[in-house]
Amino acid sequence: QPATSEAQLPVGSVVINELLVDSFGKNEPSEYIELYNRTDQPVDLSYWTFSGGVEFFFAPGLVLPARGYAVVAQDVGYFQS
C-alpha cells in the first residue's frame, strides 16, 4: 500500500507521542522525540523537518508505518546499547 503524502494527511495524523528534553540546555544523549502515526495508512515523512531547538531533516523515502512509531534521538548509539 503506498504511503500517504503530507498533502493528503488530515491534521493530527502524525503526532509527537513522547518527548524527553533537557530543560537546562545540557544536550544530554538521552534526549529524544517520538512520533506516532495515528492512521491506518503508512505516512511518507520525506523532507519533514524539526527546527527551532531541535534541528532534524527526514531523508527522502522515510515512511512511518500505519500505527507505527519513529524516534528522533540526539545520540542513536545511546539507545542501541
Side-chain angles (χ1 to χ4, degrees), residues 16 18-23 25 27-28 30-35 48-58 71-75:
I16 294 176
E18 195 170 336
L19 175 68
L20 177 63
V21 295
D22 179 7
S23 60
N27 290 328
E28 296 292 327
S30 60
E31 295 178 333
Y32 67 90
I33 300 169
E34 181 182 81
L35 299 177
W48 286 32
T49 62
F50 284 117
S51 61
V54 173
E55 303 292 327
F56 188 81
F57 174 78
F58 290 88
V71 175
V72 174
Q74 179 176 328
D75 183 349

Side-chain angles (χ1 to χ4, degrees), residues 4 9 14 35 43-49 58-64 70:
T4 303
L9 285 176
V14 175
L35 299 177
V43 174
D44 186 355
L45 298 181
S46 296
Y47 307 106
W48 286 32
T49 62
F58 290 88
L62 184 66
V63 174
L64 184 57

